[in-house]
Structure formats: C-alpha cells, structure tokens
Amino acid sequence: MLIHGLQKMTLLDYPENVACTVFFGGCDLRCPYCHNFELVDGTAEPIMDDEEFFSFLKKRVGLLDGVAITGGEPLLRKDLPEFIRRIKELGFKVKLDTNGNHPNELKALSDEGLIDYVAMDIKNSLPKYAVTIGLPDFDTSNIEKSIEIIMHSGISYEFRTTVVKELHDDSSFEAIGKMISGATHYYLQAFVSRETVPNKNLSSPDPEDMDRYLKIAQKYVPDAQLRGM
C-alpha cells in the first residue's frame, strides 16, 4: 500500500488530539480549487509503503494520540480497512477525511468501529455540486447518503466547506444548512490559492461574505464556525 505523504505531527488535523497525518493519492472528484491536486492527478510520487509507515508509527506509541487519514480520497483504497485495523491494534485513534462519495465503504468502517472521527467535505448545494467538483452530471445521491450515515453513526464528526468567491453565494449556505440541519460541527474555511490549484482564476471570498455565510449556516447548525480566519 503506497503512501503519498506523511506529516509526522499535527495539532490541527485531528481536533483535541496530537496526531500524524497520512496522505493517499487518487480521487474521483476534480475540484478546480483543490489544494492537493498533485495527489489527484498522479503527479505526486509515493514516499513510502505501509511497512515503512508502520515502522514509523510503532515508534510513536505513547507520543501520538491518533492518525488522520486524508488524500485524495482514502475510501478509494480497497485495502484501507486492513490498514486501519493495524493502526487500531497499536492503540491509536483514527480520523478519516472523505469527500462523501463512498457511503457503502464509509458505513462498513463505521459499523466495524474502525473510525473515531470523520470529516466530510460538503462542496456546495446539491444543484451546484457538479460545477463545484468539476464533474458534469454528477449524481449527488451518495453525498446525501453519507451525510445521513455520519449524523446517525454515533461517531464524532464535522462537516466543512471550502468557500470560493466564484462558486458560492447565500443560496449555497441556505441549502447546505438545511441539508445538515442539527449537525454538531460545521466549518467554513476560505479558499486560498496556491501553485498546485488547477484553476488559477478562482479567488478568496471577502471577509464580509464569510461572516454573512456563517450567519446563514448558524440558523441550521448553531455551532457553525469559521476556520482559519
């Protein structure tokens, strides 16, 4: 199992835990604002295999609380359940980042008790999903299924949206708010361009827009917050 990135310690990726972050390559979405597009299009070379990773992780027993698994889209990996089982056997908690397009795989991990925290990206309102993720005629039913699974799983979770000036407006957050009404945690984070972002014409939202979007979201998720601002 090839690993495309490893952050050896983070205080940010797994809330209230000291963790390392594992990055897997490959994704089934093509978001034009993606910060990790080198993991999506295959230009990032693997840096280690799973045996090298577990050699590292065994040395971190007692020093780290958990492992955050991200990408790309980790749920594309058929061997992910066994990878997580090995992490859990060492006593670490597991946080999973997902785009929400793989509800069956998500539910299987949840039912087996393999994940302790899940963070799902909600890209936009359902009518705007296809353009936001760069895939025409995208079927959003998996997104709705994943939201339902997460909110009824009993697992700690968060939903989050990266806000892009050209892709989001007030109606986006009215619709998202209704879709996740009653959720425990929802974060809005402003898009920031970088060299690897596919569409260089996209830009950050204005701070006053972010504040207005947050107020809209808080009608449905009272604990909604801005992140990174």
Side-chain angles (χ1 to χ4, degrees):
M1 192 172 186
L2 297 177
I3 293 167
H4 287 72
L6 174 64
Q7 186 174 357
K8 293 183 177 181
M9 191 184 79
T10 173
L11 301 175
L12 300 176
D13 289 347
Y14 192 156
E16 300 180 2
N17 288 272
V18 181
C20 66
T21 303
V22 177
F23 296 84
F24 287 121
C27 186
D28 49 339
L29 307 186
R30 291 295 181 270
C31 303
Y33 55 91
C34 180
H35 274 192
N36 292 329
F37 204 75
E38 66 274 20
L39 297 175
V40 174
D41 65 7
T43 56
E45 295 290 335
I47 64 165
M48 64 175 65
D49 61 21
D50 52 342
E51 294 307 321
E52 292 176 87
F53 169 71
F54 282 106
S55 176
F56 155 80
L57 195 59
K58 287 172 184 176
K59 297 173 185 175
R60 297 305 190 272
V61 172
L63 301 175
L64 298 177
D65 303 314
V67 177
I69 300 175
T70 190
E73 174 48 54
L75 290 176
L76 289 172
R77 300 296 187 105
K78 300 303 180 187
D79 42 5
L80 184 65
E82 180 56 29
F83 182 78
I84 295 178
R85 288 185 198 107
R86 293 182 66 184
I87 294 173
K88 301 287 282 185
E89 286 170 2
L90 292 172
F92 295 99
K93 293 183 282 188
V94 171
K95 179 212 176 198
L96 175 73
D97 290 353
T98 181
N99 63 27
N101 199 30
H102 305 275
N104 294 336
E105 291 79 3
L106 176 63
K107 189 173 190 308
L109 293 179
S110 173
D111 288 349
E112 195 179 334
L114 290 179
I115 44 179
D116 303 284
Y117 192 103
V118 58
M120 176 180 161
D121 293 316
I122 298 182
K123 307 295 187 177
N124 211 327
S125 62
L126 297 183
K128 297 178 182 177
Y129 234 84
V131 67
T132 306
I133 63 171
L135 294 176
D137 305 316
F138 179 75
D139 181 0
T140 58
S141 61
N142 281 343
I143 304 303
E144 296 176 277
K145 289 175 186 175
S146 290
I147 291 171
E148 182 77 10
I149 289 166
I150 289 169
M151 291 185 67
H152 293 89
S153 66
I155 297 169
S156 297
Y157 68 89
E158 68 180 58
F159 297 117
R160 59 196 184 187
T161 299
T162 298
V163 186
V164 183
K165 186 172 186 176
E166 292 78 9
L167 296 174
H168 298 91
D169 57 23
D170 289 12
S171 67
S172 300
F173 297 97
E174 285 284 357
I176 293 171
K178 291 174 183 177
M179 192 160 51
I180 62 169
S181 181
T184 54
H185 295 97
Y186 178 45
Y187 296 98
L188 282 65
Q189 51 201 35
F191 165 76
V192 178
S193 188
R194 57 180 283 195
E195 187 60 34
T196 55
V197 170
N199 187 339
K200 303 298 191 293
N201 295 318
L202 299 176
S203 57
S204 303
D206 297 327
E208 55 267 29
D209 289 334
M210 290 294 290
D211 289 337
R212 190 174 67 256
Y213 298 155
L214 177 63
K215 288 182 173 63
I216 294 171
Q218 286 174 334
K219 294 192 297 183
Y220 306 97
V221 183
D223 193 40
Q225 298 177 45
L226 299 180
R227 175 177 277 165
M229 296 189 71

